Amino acid sequence: LPPGFGKGMAVAIVELGKTFETSLEQRCDPEFQRKVGAFGADSGMRATEIRRVSYLKKGVQVSGKGGIFKVNIDRNVIPDGWL
């Protein structure tokens, strides 16, 4: 991680694409693996495309919770071009 980012922080923003079912052949393709961040037989039958990722302008301390949850992030830490 870049300086100023650490454990217990939100550090990046991610734009996700569609989620779809895949074949083992697709999951073994290196280009496909880069798009979904998964690798071959170790990944599941479904994949979600990762469209873009950027570090926040600074890390934001976040209390962890189980599962999926929402957090409020100040707009001033969102990288340029995301809003």
Side-chain angles (χ1 to χ4, degrees), residues 10-48:
V11 299
I13 184 170
V14 179
E15 180 181 349
L16 298 175
K18 64 181 181 171
T19 298
F20 51 94
E21 290 192 15
T22 65
S23 67
L24 179 58
E25 183 178 347
Q26 282 177 302
R27 295 190 305 269
C28 290
D29 175 46
E31 181 63 25
F32 178 84
Q33 293 172 354
R34 281 189 289 280
K35 287 182 180 179
V36 301
F39 305 96
D42 291 339
S43 61
M45 294 290 294
R46 291 182 183 83
T48 301

Side-chain angles (χ1 to χ4, degrees), residues 1-13 54-61 77:
L1 290 172
F5 293 88
K7 186 175 180 179
M9 294 182 158
V11 299
I13 184 170
S54 294
Y55 280 112
L56 299 174
K57 291 180 179 177
K58 68 177 187 173
V60 178
Q61 198 69 38
V77 300

Side-chain angles (χ1 to χ4, degrees), residues 55-77:
Y55 280 112
L56 299 174
K57 291 180 179 177
K58 68 177 187 173
V60 178
Q61 198 69 38
V62 176
S63 295
K65 300 177 184 175
I68 297 172
F69 59 94
K70 293 182 180 184
V71 295
N72 292 317
I73 303 290
D74 289 333
R75 294 174 70 92
N76 64 343
V77 300

